[in-house]
Amino acid sequence: MQNRQIVLSTRPDGIPGPEHFSAKTAELELTLAEGQIAVKNIYLSIDPAMRGWVSLEPNYLPPVQIDEVMRSICVGEIVDSKHPDYAKGDTVYGIFGWQEYCVCEPNPMVRKINPDLAPISSALGALGPNGLTAYLVLNELGKIEADETVLISTAAGGVGSIAGQIAKIKGCKVIGLTGSDDKVEMCVDEFGYDHALNYKTTENLEKAIAELAPEGINVFFDNTSGAIADAVYPNLAMNARALQVGTAAVESWEPETPLGPRRDRHILTKRLTVMGFVLIDHTAKAPAALQQLAQWYTQGELKYRENITEGLENAPQALADLYKGVNTGKQLIKI
């Protein structure tokens, strides 16, 4: 059987684009060993973390190698199985890569999906990694409480939009930072934010945040780092929690680490707690979190958007567009 794949062909310096990938067709052997499953991918996820995955910079996962299938979280259908816990026809989620088919042994990241609960694509977004990240960051690390003020950067994105809704469900005042006037409107009208700012057109972002949160920000959900975070830190309240979820605003960490305003004094004088979050560290807590997310979804309390691009061959361009902020909602590829 032929298996279409997208592989990393050259290593990018900064933002990856179509020029760094190439298409190939590989022979697929469907004679499985004991314990293996064969998955036909249906949806592929496009995520900001992919920039780190293709870089040689130190990261929480080893870099994708040249000529290796691009790493990606996917949803697909099992077309053959020699694993006792998985059957042909099951819908599953896992790191299966930018390819039509994947043969693998299930690991802790692989899980079954109930296709009757919601569209299966949601398992890559609101009812998957994006929802889990939003839920676990706010509840496990941020320990948000009612009446606190929460600020979220990339507030209209796949993670940010879910985080904003969870914070509102928990009774918080929620402020969002996003990159267009349309997304500002989306944050307020669709996702329930109390306030949102277009960081690209706001003349003095630090001052604008101070006006919206005169008593300070209690929880900062930081998806960007960089200059955006520089405007937030002076506005953090005493004993605030700054949760580093992404660094999308920093184009490259090499050859030199980019510098900005020093945050040490804020951390010291305000007794801040600064924590980093990587989802793979919290897999044991995923089932309970997913159950709560599903309950909110079925009750109509959780909304999400998807930006679906057709065709495996369009995955590299979709990744480049993600960093330009072209998408509205979770970016997916449908094969």
Side-chain angles (χ1 to χ4, degrees):
M1 183 179 290
Q2 300 295 303
N3 185 22
R4 291 190 301 136
Q5 302 173 324
I6 303 292
V7 302
L8 182 67
S9 53
T10 60
R11 198 166 299 283
D13 178 16
I15 304 297
E19 67 274 17
H20 300 112
F21 299 92
S22 60
K24 63 181 288 188
T25 301
E27 294 288 335
L28 182 68
E29 177 57 61
L30 278 183
T31 303
L32 304 185
E34 289 298 323
Q36 288 187 321
I37 59 173
V39 180
K40 181 178 181 180
N41 284 328
I42 301 171
Y43 289 100
L44 315 177
S45 181
I46 306 293
D47 296 294
M50 288 176 166
R51 183 179 66 180
W53 295 348
V54 298
S55 171
L56 292 178
E57 299 164 8
N59 208 333
Y60 56 89
L61 288 175
V64 177
Q65 298 301 308
I66 300 299
D67 293 327
E68 184 180 355
V69 173
M70 180 57 193
R71 181 184 296 136
S72 177
I73 302 168
C74 312
V75 163
E77 180 182 343
I78 294 180
V79 293
D80 197 6
S81 175
K82 284 197 173 181
H83 193 288
D85 298 331
Y86 297 88
K88 183 176 180 180
D90 283 348
T91 305
V92 290
Y93 157 104
I95 300 178
F96 303 137
W98 281 0
Q99 55 185 342
E100 287 186 291
Y101 295 90
C102 177
V103 174
C104 64
E105 293 183 6
N107 57 43
M109 285 290 290
V110 177
R111 62 180 176 87
K112 295 181 187 178
I113 295 167
N114 178 4
D116 297 324
L117 174 63
I120 62 172
S121 57
S122 67
L124 295 173
L127 303 184
N130 293 165
L132 284 171
T133 296
Y135 182 93
L136 293 170
V137 167
L138 290 175
N139 290 286
E140 297 294 330
L141 274 65
K143 301 187 184 303
I144 59 172
E145 297 180 2
D147 299 323
E148 289 191 310
T149 298
V150 177
L151 185 142
I152 300 166
S153 55
T154 64
V159 174
S161 61
I162 303 300
Q165 293 176 83
I166 292 173
K168 286 302 298 180
I169 290 171
K170 294 286 187 174
C172 298
K173 176 182 177 180
V174 188
I175 300 170
L177 304 180
T178 189
S180 74
D181 291 341
D182 288 342
K183 290 182 179 180
V184 165
E185 184 177 343
M186 187 190 311
C187 285
V188 175
D189 295 344
E190 188 170 339
F191 300 130
Y193 282 77
D194 294 285
H195 306 282
L197 295 170
N198 181 346
Y199 67 85
K200 293 182 179 178
T201 58
T202 300
E203 185 174 344
N204 187 325
L205 187 59
E206 181 180 332
K207 181 180 178 181
I209 293 170
E211 291 174 351
L212 294 177
E215 296 182 1
I217 304 296
N218 302 110
V219 176
F220 176 28
F221 195 112
D222 186 1
N223 280 310
T224 63
S225 189
I228 297 170
D230 292 339
V232 177
Y233 266 76
N235 287 296
L236 294 181
M238 186 69 71
N239 298 312
R241 289 83 77 198
L243 312 171
Q244 197 72 54
V245 186
T247 58
V250 181
E251 185 168 326
S252 178
W253 297 95
E254 293 183 348
E256 294 182 1
T257 301
L259 299 178
R262 303 292 185 182
R263 298 170 184 168
D264 311 66
R265 196 67 183 167
H266 295 297
I267 295 172
L268 173 64
T269 60
K270 296 178 182 178
R271 289 74 149 179
L272 304 182
T273 300
V274 181
M275 292 178 281
F277 176 87
V278 177
L279 182 57
I280 58 176
D281 296 337
H282 300 269
T283 53
K285 299 172 183 175
L290 286 170
Q291 186 176 13
Q292 178 62 79
L293 290 165
Q295 180 179 333
W296 284 332
Y297 171 76
T298 56
Q299 292 173 345
E301 296 185 79
L302 198 64
K303 302 175 183 177
Y304 67 93
R305 279 198 178 200
E306 294 176 330
N307 199 89
I308 300 177
T309 302
E310 297 274 350
L312 174 63
E313 67 280 2
N314 293 316
Q317 185 60 55
L319 179 58
D321 289 344
L322 182 73
Y323 293 107
K324 297 175 184 176
V326 173
N327 61 299
T328 55
K330 174 67 180 182
Q331 178 62 57
L332 301 172
I333 298 293
K334 184 177 182 182
I335 300 181

